[in-house]
Amino acid sequence: MALLVTKFGGTSVASLERIKNVALRLKDMKEKGNDVVAVVSAMGDTTDELIDLAKLTGDNLAPREMDMLLSTGEQQSAALLALTLQNMNCDAISLTGWQAGIKSDDKHSKAKISEINTERLRAELAKGRIVIVAGFQGISPCGDITTLGRGGSDTTAVAIAAALKADRCLIFTDVDGVYTADPRIVPEARKLSQISYEEMLEMASLGAGVLQSRSVEFAMLYGVDVEVLSSFNFNPGTLVTEVKNMEKQRVVCGVADDRNCARFALFDVPDVPGIAMKIFKALAKENINVDMVIQSAMRDNRNDIAFTIERDDLKRAVPVVQKVVKEISASGFSYADDVAKVSIVGAGMQTNPGVAADMFEALAEENINIHMISTSEIKVSCVIDEKELEKAVRVLHKKFELDKIE
Ligand code: ASP
Ligand code: MG
């Protein structure tokens, strides 16, 4: 008997028929003698539809009220799943985030879980119930509903798994694991049977949208074994875990593509201390994440500074940058949203020189221009024109022979 924390994404609960399918799986796990918690996302595109609805009220969308609204999506699917189970004569109860003891900070729309009080969860499990938890939500110190960022139900699940010391966290989604590249772009992409936390973290934050990156950070921090698998078939999934011996062999394990990318350039920025601080503090204050940053070599005591942010944040970032440009007396700025990011990831890169060079060579051979580059120990990312993205993913997949990976 094991304690299993499962999570079902939006497509897995998109209709009553699919919810019934999820209920049957949960019932089966329970009947095999496991304790079962199920975290659910909102049905299908509910979250997007609620956002569109809110936009009809006007331009000012206060994050507190948006959280109030968006959290209802997960409550619907949680209650419907509990009802479905009950109607199958299977004891179940649905809980909101706060009923499940999920406490967060007060950063509305991007809140972070600070603590989970597991008392209620344990009490319901002890009654022999399947416990359904509305994902993606928590409660702030002052008692307001928060949401955990898009895709946040993954983090709810991993955090609950950590808090309950569950045997495993099973993330059911619409793909049956983590692939070497998006199979819609690269038909020869291979499913990985295992991936290390570090590699998965890079893949997740680089836009391989299988798991929310926060959830992987959580899993790594608390050593939670996470399995990604499909709710539509019974194929084995991908285990995200601590991998000790594999890393030296696999130089590159995946190519990630990310269109949620926009690029700014600030021209003739004075080369004095404190300037970068001014720019990035102003963006941080607006909760805008900066990804890559490049400062050009100095000439005439001036630099150019370029950086990327998430495309979704572009509209909010423009006035912020405009204001800073004036304050620091730069000569001007530009921005573009027709760029995208392609990245290669692999733990073995650390010990294999020349991987970045191979990547640049593959892109050059296809005449793909690189705008920006950033590297970490286990990844290399390039910002390129969005229209070249799919071609770039395909040539890199081929270059690193990922169609042959085990
Ligand atoms: N429903 C939320 C979203 O669409 C959270 C989630 O699916 O995990 O982002
Ligand atoms: Mg979702």
Side-chain angles (χ1 to χ4, degrees), residues 7-11 39-48 51 70 73-74 77 135-137 147-156 212:
K7 179 255 168 178
F8 293 88
T11 40
V39 174
V40 286
S41 292
M43 293 171 74
D45 296 327
T46 303
T47 308
D48 290 321
I51 293 172
L70 298 190
E74 270 69 12
S77 44
F136 173 58
Q137 53 181 260
T147 63
L148 310 177
R150 296 307 304 270
S153 303
D154 292 337
T155 302
T156 304
Q212 198 202 30

Side-chain angles (χ1 to χ4, degrees), residues 298-312:
M298 181 186 66
R299 52 184 157 69
D300 305 331
N301 287 322
R302 299 247 163 189
N303 303 307
D304 292 339
I305 295 182
F307 58 89
T308 62
I309 59 168
E310 288 177 20
R311 199 179 291 173
D312 303 341

Side-chain angles (χ1 to χ4, degrees), residues 64-92:
R64 181 193 179 278
E65 304 310 327
M66 289 304 287
D67 281 358
M68 185 78 175
L69 177 67
L70 298 190
S71 61
T72 63
E74 270 69 12
Q75 281 167 230
Q76 288 179 10
S77 44
L80 288 169
L81 178 55
L83 288 168
T84 307
L85 280 161
Q86 289 167 9
N87 283 312
M88 290 174 176
N89 282 326
C90 187
D91 200 1

